[in-house]
Amino acid sequence: LFSQIDHFGFDESGTFQQRYLVADQHWKKDNGPILFYTGNEGDIEWFCNNTGFMWDVAEELNAMLVFAEHRYYGESLPFGNESFSDSKHLNYLTSEQALVDFAVLVEYLKATTAGAQHSPVIAIGGSYGGMLAAWFRMKYPHVVVGALAASAPIWQFGDLVPCGTFFSIVSNDFKKSGTGCSESIRNSWNAINHLSSTDAGLQWLSNTFHLCSPLKTLQDAAVLKNWLSETWVNLAMVNYPYKADFLQPLPAWPIQEVCKFLKDPSLSDKLLLQNVFQAVNLYYNYTGETPCLDVSQTATKSLGEMGWYYQACTEMVMPLCTDGVHDMFEPQKWDFDALSEECYSMWGVRPRLSWILSMYGGKNISSHSNIIFSNGGLDPWSAGGVTQNISNSLVAVVIPDGAHHLDLRSRNPLDPKSVQQARAMEICLMKEWIEKARHSH
């Protein structure tokens, strides 16, 4: 589909090709429903393959599936290879523009698909895509009849929630998964600090962690610590009850496996860090094929890290902090000014701290309807999620044993009861919305 580069102004009249995927084998031609995945910060094929829930319910709901790619990710690049060249070209990378892309795409599909003119559309998304699904319903209620917003931290902005909750949930996951586990990680930071004060120590760290490029300075050691922190966070997000390969190929309940290496927090610095290496090696090298560990890479190549970095530097400003007491991380205050400087030096732009609140309403969203907010108790992003009902049509579904949008993944024999019940409730509500739309039409 050709989409406008700028929906909100008239000076930039160019268009770009937006990619979307359609599966209609179970669709009932005469106005059967459309489940519309609001693509997030990555290649749409990857989200399509990781959203088994939609494929599982397509037949039961007689639904068409549409997966829409978010502008500036995957192959939907407004200026081709130039899209990330400077802030002028990046200027159109916002959630607002993306939502209009989605609205235009829905209208286009309805206009060009025989028998879809009055099809009720339900937005579905996870994580940032979950925020987009919720916001899509809020901003374009005439386009979508409802939304399933899975693991959508729509309140991780401004001062709506405490900045430390996110990391305390991560730490809790490790605390619950093995004796001595979170304490070992908490003790690892000082061990790294001690060792990185000498050249020999930096060399030892580089060898022990099998790093692709050796650490040379204290700054490099800080990068190593950041990379470890991100790894623990990612493990909390993908702590699924079965083997999976969402961010990396991993065993079932990966944190329990990781914690097997971290039983003794009282070890000497070097022994402790050798264990930490074993633990992260399970995350990065579960298949045994990784020759060395690259501290500049933590997730999958399918995520568009450049684009997300820019979004985090403009609209997506999510305050996060640690204190080392309620969590297992080094204390770090939330520092907006530092972020602002970093963004300015990187992109020549400055973040707007409370713009998202002005745009999407913060906690004052009770005038909206037909949104399911689902969150996993193991998922750090639930810190900024809606975990209590706001009204009888803004419904919170909590999945105590769930990590990051577990409910959107394919059904699995190892699924905990809580996620089976969550999905049943989600399907039930979606059927109500579809029914209601049919009658009102």
Side-chain angles (χ1 to χ4, degrees):
L1 175 72
F2 283 96
S3 195
Q4 291 285 338
I5 289 175
D6 183 12
H7 295 290
F8 297 107
F10 295 85
D11 187 48
E12 168 59 75
S13 58
T15 59
F16 71 99
Q17 279 196 289
Q18 184 181 18
R19 186 164 58 144
Y20 63 94
L21 315 172
V22 176
D24 57 6
Q25 56 268 49
H26 296 301
W27 186 55
K28 201 151 90 207
K29 231 191 167 53
D30 185 26
N31 299 323
I34 298 172
L35 303 182
F36 186 95
Y37 186 90
T38 45
N40 29 327
E41 73 282 26
D43 188 293
I44 196 60
E45 289 184 23
W46 182 64
F47 290 110
C48 176
N49 293 333
N50 277 287
T51 312
F53 171 73
M54 284 172 62
W55 297 90
D56 290 344
V57 300
E59 193 168 5
E60 185 180 345
L61 298 177
N62 307 314
M64 181 195 300
L65 307 182
V66 179
F67 293 85
E69 190 161 69
H70 192 299
R71 53 171 55 209
Y72 288 85
Y73 295 102
E75 290 174 17
S76 301
L77 303 173
F79 301 101
N81 297 338
E82 293 288 289
S83 299
F84 290 92
S85 56
D86 56 38
S87 57
K88 281 271 178 290
H89 288 90
L90 276 163
N91 194 37
Y92 309 99
L93 170 48
T94 64
S95 61
E96 292 85 344
Q97 298 273 13
L99 291 177
V100 191
D101 291 337
F102 296 155
V104 169
L105 174 54
V106 169
E107 310 272 75
Y108 166 79
L109 289 170
K110 286 184 152 195
T112 56
T113 311
Q117 199 188 345
H118 301 292
S119 289
V121 181
I122 294 172
I124 298 179
S127 203
Y128 169 50
M131 297 199 243
L132 292 169
W135 294 338
F136 196 16
R137 169 62 186 166
M138 293 177 189
K139 294 290 181 185
Y140 298 91
H142 55 289
V143 178
V144 285
V145 301
L148 167 54
S151 298
I154 62 163
W155 288 344
Q156 194 64 53
F157 296 96
D159 53 3
L160 298 181
V161 298
C163 59
T165 312
F166 178 94
F167 284 102
S168 67
I169 294 173
V170 177
S171 307
N172 227 7
D173 289 353
F174 284 83
K175 203 187 197 126
K176 287 188 304 212
S177 298
T179 315
C181 195
S182 61
E183 293 80 8
S184 294
I185 293 171
R186 187 184 277 125
N187 293 348
S188 71
W189 312 117
N190 271 335
I192 294 172
N193 294 342
H194 294 153
L195 282 157
S196 53
S197 60
T198 67
D199 288 346
L202 286 167
Q203 186 60 53
W204 184 88
L205 286 168
S206 308
N207 296 342
T208 302
F209 280 91
H210 295 248
L211 300 182
C212 302
S213 46
L215 309 173
K216 299 268 196 247
T217 62
L218 268 179
Q219 190 47 46
D220 293 344
V223 171
L224 171 72
K225 289 192 291 188
N226 266 339
W227 173 76
L228 286 170
S229 296
E230 253 180 78
T231 305
W232 307 135
V233 167
N234 285 349
L235 274 161
M237 283 168 57
V238 298
N239 196 24
Y240 296 129
Y242 43 76
K243 270 178 90 144
D245 60 355
F246 185 51
L247 298 179
Q248 294 280 349
L250 289 170
W253 297 119
I255 293 185
Q256 285 180 16
E257 299 302 312
V258 158
C259 285
K260 287 176 183 168
F261 298 108
L262 300 171
K263 291 185 170 132
D264 187 355
S266 64
L267 292 168
S268 68
D269 288 352
K270 286 189 172 178
L271 289 174
L272 180 67
L273 291 175
Q274 280 169 340
N275 287 347
V276 169
F277 163 71
Q278 298 287 349
V280 291
N281 196 47
L282 180 118
Y283 179 76
Y284 290 105
N285 195 18
Y286 183 55
T287 55
E289 286 158 19
T290 311
C292 62
L293 301 187
D294 176 1
V295 293
S296 68
Q297 188 71 32
T298 56
T300 162
K301 297 271 194 287
S302 306
L303 283 175
E305 299 198 341
M306 284 295 274
W308 185 252
Y309 187 13
Y310 173 83
Q311 286 192 266
C313 271
T314 47
E315 293 193 309
M316 293 290 145
V317 189
M318 303 195 194
L320 295 172
C321 61
T322 51
D323 63 9
V325 178
H326 301 93
D327 56 64
M328 60 184 191
F329 296 89
E330 275 192 303
Q332 194 158 24
K333 285 192 162 62
W334 162 243
D335 187 344
F336 177 72
D337 297 330
L339 172 73
S340 183
E341 288 311 316
E342 186 186 311
C343 293
Y344 191 72
S345 66
M346 182 75 185
W347 306 107
V349 297
R350 295 201 183 270
R352 292 182 189 166
L353 191 52
S354 49
W355 169 242
I356 285 284
L357 307 184
S358 308
M359 190 63 206
Y360 300 115
K363 290 201 170 178
N364 299 336
I365 56 175
S366 56
S367 57
H368 300 293
S369 64
N370 294 7
I371 306 174
I372 303 163
F373 295 98
S374 64
N375 279 286
L378 306 177
D379 180 18
W381 290 109
S382 66
V386 180
T387 52
Q388 287 177 319
N389 292 356
I390 294 174
S391 68
N392 50 8
S393 74
L394 295 178
V395 182
V397 173
V398 178
I399 305 160
D401 316 300
H404 204 44
H405 48 66
L406 174 63
D407 50 330
L408 292 191
R409 298 179 61 78
S410 298
R411 292 186 177 129
N412 187 294
L414 296 169
D415 274 334
K417 194 115 206 109
S418 60
V419 76
Q420 295 171 357
Q421 290 166 333
R423 290 191 189 117
M425 182 162 174
E426 290 161 2
I427 293 165
C428 181
L429 286 164
M430 290 197 288
K431 284 179 173 168
E432 278 179 31
W433 300 338
I434 292 164
E435 226 15 71
K436 205 168 157 192
R438 194 158 279 136
H439 287 308
S440 69
H441 162 62

